[in-house]
């Protein structure tokens, strides 16, 4: 969905359209009230010649000095120049978008080498070893991208059935997984926030209240994202549909332009602050990001069931996440300072924007009520016996019945259906690897290696968490990282003696925090970097520094808090 219009356009008239006229020649008044130069006689225009068959038309050499005409639809048309050199009609040949050869060869070769060259351990069955080779090849393709993620995952699934590694029923069993459907429905909720404009309204209100200074403006945007996060379960949707349009309009109104030295006036700081804060907002609530739900589902497959997951997640994340959210804008204000320190116009702009929006509309009230109902049931679900996915289904049904969302909105949400496909495939493969004993074998090998260094479980916890975090430099997706490595790393933690709930939650929190490492490390990273306000070296530099700062905050504050909560 296209993001909302630039923030500043709500407060200024639309740009006028100017039509050229030649003051040296007589002009004529048209019904459109524009002075136009006389049009050449028809006899002076070179006849047009067409080549058969007239399938496509290519027109060359327009003269910008010829008179223009404003159509009733607001588009400017220019007459064809007498000097048009050619008008051709040649059929176009569609280009086939085949798989990228080099990534394809490497991805397949990795799996084949594992299957036929690497000796099979005696503890692993031939079926399990073959499935592992297909899984590794699938993961390699997710990193190297010979095809889009969903297409490549489907090829991996097809291979498991074709080679009779898994039966058709077993291969597709994960498509009925409750958590995966909860993730899919969360994409529809995010679309509702953008479609109704509710997310934009909430963020604009915070700008009005806190936006007198650049630092206050950043805090307003950060706090509004934390408020929206539990009911808008997509960090990428929040970035592209709500916050980036507001940041861009505020920056442009302050003379801070993308891909320009003026970007450092305001835009660079606001982008970096929002980007680095988003990971903590996503880590604060179980329903704030799709990968959170996937983490707990994978933990369940290893036999680790967390009671009252929504409340347990929030309690454990609350203190370290709040501290990080409060410190991140200030740290970046010192580390990556904006040139403009005060933004006295921002509250007035926000007030005008809210005035232009008008009172809260019916569909926004429905969205608010539905999300309050959903969050309440997510919190109380275990005690009243309503599963999280049923709550999501109920919320979506309400939005469809009352017309806030239409079924076409759901059908056109490609990311949701793409996620359903490749999430289900990865979860299904990972689950079968667990059932066949591969994950436990790998975790035991790593545990023995760590024990050879006589590491205590806290030391092993630190090593494994650090490795899990740094490996993300090789991934372009948080969810892909979870599908590939979460189960294995959690099993390693358990084998090393780390308390189960602590290990599962810490890995899941890390999954959100490493989304700001690079310009490719998450969906929101691509959105914010694509705005053109931050240079690539700064993305890596600030990403690494803030990763270290977050590690310190979550280790010290989080460690003490988790001890208080009795997680270890």
């Amino acid at each position: 969905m296209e993001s909302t219009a630039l923030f500043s356009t709500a407060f200024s008239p639309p740009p006028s359209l100017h039509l050229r006229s030649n003051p040296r020649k007589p002009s004529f008044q048209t019904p459109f009230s524009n002075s136009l130069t006389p049009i050449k006689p028809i006899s002076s225009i070179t006849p047009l010649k067409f080549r058969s068959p007239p399938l496509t038309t290519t027109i060359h050499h327009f003269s910008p000095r010829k008179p223009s005409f404003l159509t009733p639809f607001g588009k400017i048309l220019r007459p064809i120049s007498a000097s048009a050199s050619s008008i051709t009609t040649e059929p176009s040949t569609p280009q086939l978008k085949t798989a990228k050869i080099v990534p394809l060869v490497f991805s397949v070769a990795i799996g084949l080498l594992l299957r036929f060259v690497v000796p099979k351990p005696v503890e692993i069955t031939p079926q399990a070893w073959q499935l592992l080779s297909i899984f590794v090849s699938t993961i390699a393709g997710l990193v190297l991208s010979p095809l889009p993620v969903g297409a490549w995952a489907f090829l991996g699934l097809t291979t498991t059935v074709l080679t009779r590694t898994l039966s058709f029923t077993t291969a597709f069993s994960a498509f009925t997984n409750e958590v995966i459907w909860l993730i899919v429905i969360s994409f529809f909720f995010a679309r509702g926030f953008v479609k109704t404009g509710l997310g934009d309204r909430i963020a604009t209100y915070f700008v009005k209240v806190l936006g007198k200074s650049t630092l206050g403006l950043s805090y307003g945007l950060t706090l509004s994202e934390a408020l929206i996060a539990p009911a808008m379960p997509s960090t990428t949707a929040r970035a592209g549909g709500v916050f980036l349009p507001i940041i861009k309009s505020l920056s442009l109104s302050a003379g801070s332009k993308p891909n320009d030295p003026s970007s450092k006036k305001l835009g660079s700081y606001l982008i970096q602050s929002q980007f680095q804060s988003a990971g903590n907002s996503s880590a604060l609530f179980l329903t704030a990001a799709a990968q959170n739900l996937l983490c707990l589902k994978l933990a369940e497959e290893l036999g680790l069931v967390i009671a009252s997951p929504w409340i347990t997640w929030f309690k454990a994340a609350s203190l370290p996440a709040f501290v990080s959210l409060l410190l991140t804008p200030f740290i970046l204000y010192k580390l990556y300072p904006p040139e403009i320190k005060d933004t006295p116009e921002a509250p007035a702009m926000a007030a005008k924007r809210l005035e232009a929006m008008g009172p809260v509309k019916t569909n926004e009230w429905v969205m608010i009520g539905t999300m309050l109902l959903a969050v309440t049931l997510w919190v109380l679900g275990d005690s009243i016996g309503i599963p999280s996915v049923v709550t999501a289904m109920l919320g979506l049904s309400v939005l469809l019945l009352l017309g806030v969302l239409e079924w076409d909105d759901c059908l056109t949400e490609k990311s949701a259906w793409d996620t359903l496909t490749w999430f289900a495939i990865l979860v299904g493969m990972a689950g079968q690897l667990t059932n066949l004993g591969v994950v436990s074998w790998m975790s035991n090998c790593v545990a023995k290696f760590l024990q050879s260094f006589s590491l205590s479980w806290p030391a092993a916890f630190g090593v494994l968490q650090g490795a899990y975090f740094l490996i993300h430099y090789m991934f372009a997706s948080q969810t892909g990282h979870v599908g590939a490595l979460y189960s294995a790393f959690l099993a390693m933690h358990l084998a090393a003696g780390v308390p189960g709930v602590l290990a599962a939650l810490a890995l899941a929190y890390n999954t959100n925090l490493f989304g700001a490492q690079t310009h490719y490390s998450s969906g929101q990273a691509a959105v914010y970097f694509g705005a053109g306000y931050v240079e690539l070296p700064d993305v890596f530099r600030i990403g690494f520094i803030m990763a270290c700062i977050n590690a310190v905050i979550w280790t010290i504050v989080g460690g003490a808090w988790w001890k208080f909560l009795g997680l270890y």
Side-chain angles (χ1 to χ4, degrees), residues 394-537:
L394 175 62
L396 178 60
S397 298
V398 171
L399 296 179
L400 290 171
L401 282 171
L402 298 180
V404 175
L405 285 176
E406 299 176 4
W407 186 240
D408 282 345
D409 295 323
C410 300
L411 293 177
T412 54
E413 191 65 35
K414 294 181 180 179
S415 57
W417 303 114
D418 183 56
T419 299
L420 170 65
T421 301
W422 71 278
F423 264 24
I425 292 172
L426 288 181
V427 169
M429 286 188 183
Q432 291 305 313
L433 287 173
T434 301
N435 294 338
L436 294 172
V438 175
V439 173
S440 61
W441 168 75
M442 294 176 60
S443 61
N444 288 332
C445 291
V446 174
K448 291 178 182 178
F449 176 75
L450 294 175
Q451 289 170 1
S452 66
F453 292 94
S454 300
L455 295 178
S456 60
W457 77 256
F461 174 80
V463 171
L464 291 172
Q465 291 287 333
Y468 182 76
F469 193 100
L470 293 175
I471 286 175
H472 193 65
Y473 278 105
M474 299 173 59
F475 282 86
S477 165
Q478 291 167 288
T479 49
H481 189 140
V482 171
L485 298 177
Y486 182 88
S487 294
F489 269 82
L490 179 56
M492 295 175 198
H493 278 77
L494 298 177
V498 180
V501 175
L502 173 65
L505 292 179
L507 285 173
Y509 296 150
N510 256 337
T511 300
N512 292 285
L513 298 178
F514 59 44
Q517 277 180 314
T518 67
H519 64 299
Y520 59 83
S521 56
S522 61
Q524 63 270 22
V527 169
Y528 284 127
F529 178 72
Y533 278 96
V534 182
E535 297 178 356
L536 191 57

Side-chain angles (χ1 to χ4, degrees), residues 347-367:
M349 291 174 60
K352 290 182 180 179
R353 174 61 173 161
L354 290 171
E355 183 179 352
M357 289 181 178
V360 180
K361 301 176 180 61
T362 302
N363 58 358
E364 292 178 80
W365 282 118
V366 173
M367 195 74 202

Side-chain angles (χ1 to χ4, degrees), residues 100-185:
K100 300 174 186 175
I101 300 301
V102 174
L104 174 65
V105 170
F106 273 97
S107 301
V108 174
I110 290 172
L112 292 176
L113 287 173
L114 179 63
R115 174 65 179 85
F116 296 105
V117 177
V118 178
K120 181 184 72 67
V122 294
E123 300 91 343
I124 302 298
T125 64
Q127 179 192 9
W129 193 247
Q130 185 159 292
L131 179 59
L132 178 62
S133 66
I134 297 172
F135 182 74
V136 169
S137 182
T138 303
I139 296 302
L142 297 183
V143 176
L144 300 175
S145 299
L147 285 173
V149 172
W152 182 253
F154 188 80
L155 261 64
L157 183 69
T158 302
T159 304
T160 64
V161 178
L162 187 64
T163 59
R164 298 184 179 180
T165 307
L166 298 175
S167 66
F168 182 89
T169 303
T170 303
F172 281 85
S173 60
F175 280 83
T176 60
N177 186 288
E178 292 183 0
V179 172
I180 294 175
W181 278 100
L182 178 58
I183 293 170
V184 171
I185 296 174

